[in-house]
Amino acid sequence: MGVKSPEDAFPVQAFGFAARDSSGVFSPFNFSRRATLEHDVQLKVLYCGTCNYDREMSTNKFGMTTYPFVIGHEIVGVVTEVGSRVQKFKVGDKVGVAGYVGTCGKCQMCTNGVENYCPEIETIDGHFGTNFGGCSNIMVANEKFVVSWPENLPLDSGVPLLCAGITTYSPMKRYGLDKPGIHVGIAGLGGLGHVAVRFAKAFGAKVTVLSSSPNKKQEALEKFGADSFLVSSDPTEMQAAAGTLDGIIDTIPGSHPVVPFFALLKPLGKLIILGVPDRPFEVPAPSLLMGGKLMAGSTSGTMKDIQEMIDFAAKHNIIADVEVISIDYLNTAMERIDKSDVKYRFVIDIVNTLKSA
């Protein structure tokens, strides 16, 4: 059998917004998607979330962006076509696609049920692989990497859970911070942090929000239901809370000291890093050794985790606080992300605004 031409392999015309270079400026972009293969699902994109990670990728912060770059690693849509061997979905189903759309299926990570750490993972936005993200009118993905969307979970305020939700839900489950009575600290009350508080409370945990900004106290306690609030820059408050936390989910994206967080942990406590600061952490060995404490990192979750998280969110009415925007507002939204001027996630209304861009 001969090799298919690009026109045959990618015959589906698509339209989205892409950055052409590290300026990170987005503009209309015509491109092609692959044909719907036997295990594939094609969907009409309805909403696409965007976050700080998209901004970092669009400006090539990590040195691995391929241009043109179409953002979108958290999307919801409606199925318009299914391959001949698809079993999980039918035309008309509401579905979600999260951060990755392919793995090797053979490595130790894949065969041990943690495929999100596959060294050959294929991400939705193409920083590994050749995909274009979900900020477009259509998307095609293998059914293994598509999740069913619960009827009672809103599409617009639910779509950020495919990033912020799973990024916080997964480590809480993996490191045993999902049990009633556990005392969890959430460092940072941003796009990840506000969702983390809601999941931790739904697990039955006692939640303390850690923030350098005292003006977030009222919102943390009254709006998101945290049990207590610590100003991380206040030595008196931090000292009073020493040794009280079973674990801390650190969602802070910028550079910050973590040694004070270790003092808050009980013996065998865990500090889980989710952000990607510009500078390395400095951790004196005694901070870990004294009390047998753990510092770990986490990204995304398995496909099983993602479906479980979405179903859990629907059951417990967990959503993200969002600002729904039109596609022509995207560049302004990116500028606002640079200034941390969003409470708490932007969601692009693809279905109603992309076609008129």
Side-chain angles (χ1 to χ4, degrees):
M1 182 181 296
V3 177
K4 287 186 177 181
S5 69
E7 292 77 14
D8 291 333
F10 296 88
V12 181
Q13 296 302 302
F15 175 65
F17 266 50
R20 286 357 193 254
D21 53 47
S22 61
S23 68
V25 175
F26 288 88
S27 58
F29 177 54
N30 291 291
F31 63 103
S32 299
R33 298 275 191 199
R34 72 170 184 257
T36 304
L37 305 178
E38 61 182 8
H39 290 289
D40 282 346
V41 171
Q42 183 183 119
L43 57 134
K44 175 183 179 180
V45 178
L46 301 178
Y47 292 94
C48 174
T50 187
C51 67
N52 187 63
Y53 173 79
D54 289 318
R55 182 57 167 169
E56 293 169 335
M57 284 296 296
S58 69
T59 56
N60 201 24
K61 174 182 176 180
F62 307 114
M64 59 184 182
T65 303
T66 300
Y67 297 100
F69 175 72
V70 179
I71 62 167
H73 59 280
E74 46 193 87
I75 64 175
V76 291
V78 58
V79 176
T80 55
E81 183 181 346
V82 296
S84 60
R85 300 183 68 180
V86 168
Q87 298 181 345
K88 291 168 56 180
F89 305 103
K90 65 183 184 303
V91 171
D93 286 349
K94 297 289 197 319
V95 295
V97 183
Y100 58 101
V101 290
T103 57
C104 75
K106 300 176 289 187
C107 70
Q108 188 176 19
M109 297 298 98
C110 288
T111 55
N112 281 286
V114 282
E115 73 276 2
N116 52 309
Y117 293 113
C118 171
E120 297 181 30
I121 195 166
E122 188 177 347
T123 57
I124 190 173
D125 54 15
H127 74 258
F128 297 112
T130 57
N131 296 308
F132 291 114
C135 184
S136 62
N137 58 340
I138 63 172
M139 183 73 198
V140 180
N142 186 291
E143 68 171 329
K144 291 193 299 184
F145 302 99
V146 178
V147 295
S148 297
W149 197 262
E151 280 298 321
N152 65 319
L153 186 64
L155 299 174
D156 52 2
S157 54
V159 68
L161 299 179
L162 294 169
C163 173
I166 191 57
T167 302
T168 54
Y169 179 94
S170 177
M172 281 192 269
K173 294 285 288 187
R174 184 182 309 123
Y175 292 102
L177 302 177
D178 61 334
K179 309 293 190 298
I182 290 285
H183 193 170
V184 180
I186 306 297
L189 193 66
L192 294 180
H194 85 287
V195 171
V197 173
R198 286 174 168 159
F199 274 113
K201 289 299 295 181
F203 287 140
K206 181 180 178 182
V207 178
T208 294
V209 169
L210 314 170
S211 176
S212 61
S213 177
N215 60 16
K216 290 190 175 182
K217 181 174 182 177
Q218 183 175 356
E219 195 165 35
L221 299 177
E222 297 180 8
K223 183 173 185 177
F224 299 119
D227 299 283
S228 55
F229 184 92
L230 284 177
V231 179
S232 57
S233 57
D234 186 325
T236 302
E237 286 193 18
M238 295 289 280
Q239 177 60 39
T244 61
L245 302 180
D246 294 288
I248 297 173
I249 301 295
D250 185 349
T251 72
I252 301 170
S255 298
H256 61 284
V258 294
V259 173
F261 292 168
F262 285 108
L264 297 175
L265 293 173
K266 298 175 183 178
L268 306 182
K270 308 169 183 74
L271 174 63
I272 314 301
I273 303 296
L274 304 185
V276 188
D278 292 326
R279 295 193 298 272
F281 292 113
E282 294 186 10
V283 182
S287 295
L288 296 172
L289 298 176
M290 303 306 290
K293 296 168 185 176
L294 171 73
M295 183 177 184
S298 183
T299 64
S300 190
T302 67
M303 290 310 303
K304 179 182 177 183
D305 290 339
I306 296 171
Q307 185 68 67
E308 181 184 284
M309 177 274 302
I310 286 292
D311 292 339
F312 183 89
K315 180 179 179 181
H316 294 274
N317 300 310
I318 296 173
I319 56 173
D321 278 31
V322 304
E323 182 177 335
V324 179
I325 63 172
S326 64
I327 189 68
D328 59 8
Y329 191 78
L330 179 56
N331 287 313
T332 302
M334 289 294 158
E335 293 172 1
R336 286 179 56 191
I337 286 174
D338 287 340
K339 301 172 185 175
S340 300
D341 178 25
V342 55
K343 286 191 172 182
Y344 280 91
R345 300 285 277 213
F346 286 120
V347 171
I348 308 164
D349 184 348
I350 296 291
V351 66
N352 292 311
T353 69
L354 181 62
K355 58 190 176 186
S356 61

